């Protein structure tokens, strides 16, 4: 190669700037459609994962509450048993005689109380009495 030819190859300017790509509308539409489908699928997957997580959390909470219910029922049974033990007549009699030094009554120590009959109801027209004044229904 001659020197002149070599310089000609080096100096040759190639202008690529005016090349403009044409926008392919069909391809853009298809890209958007697939993008929307992808976003929809990701949303559905995230929603289903979230719901699954919530169901698991509620299951754990339900199991915890059932265990708590069993514990509370056991405490309730224990407290009812303790109440019945404290209400036992033999225990009450023992405390009364030993600690409080009560004496068991004999046969002659019993007193019979007569039933008191309530007094007759006052007249319905009498409403109230105040410092010597009587107020009747219907009159001041």
């Amino acid at each position: 190669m001659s020197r002149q030819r070599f310089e000609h190859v080096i100096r040759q300017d190639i202008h690529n700037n005016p090349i403009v790509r044409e926008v392919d509308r069909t391809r853009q539409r298809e890209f958007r459609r697939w993008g929307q489908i992808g976003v929809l699928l990701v949303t559905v997957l995230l929603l289903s994962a979230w719901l699954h997580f919530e169901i698991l959390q509620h299951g754990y909470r339900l199991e915890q509450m059932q265990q708590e219910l069993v514990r509370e029922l056991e405490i309730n049974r224990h407290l009812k048993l303790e109440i019945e033990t404290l209400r036992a007549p033999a225990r009450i009699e023992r405390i009364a005689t030993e600690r409080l030094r009560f004496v068991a009554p004999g046969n002659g120590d019993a007193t019979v109380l007569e039933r008191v009959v309530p007094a007759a109801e006052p007249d319905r027209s009498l409403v109230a009495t105040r410092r010597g004044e009587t107020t009747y229904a219907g009159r001041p």
Side-chain angles (χ1 to χ4, degrees), residues 38-51:
V39 167
L40 180 67
L41 287 176
V42 168
T43 304
V44 168
L45 286 174
L46 287 176
L47 180 64
S48 83
W50 177 70
L51 288 175

Side-chain angles (χ1 to χ4, degrees), residues 89-105:
R91 180 184 171 278
I92 294 173
E93 183 179 353
R94 189 181 76 243
I95 290 173
T97 55
E98 292 175 5
R99 289 188 194 168
L100 302 176
R101 299 183 183 167
F102 285 178
V103 179

Side-chain angles (χ1 to χ4, degrees), residues 11-19:
R11 287 185 188 166
Q12 185 179 9
D13 288 336
I14 300 175
H15 299 288
N16 286 335
N17 291 342
I19 297 176

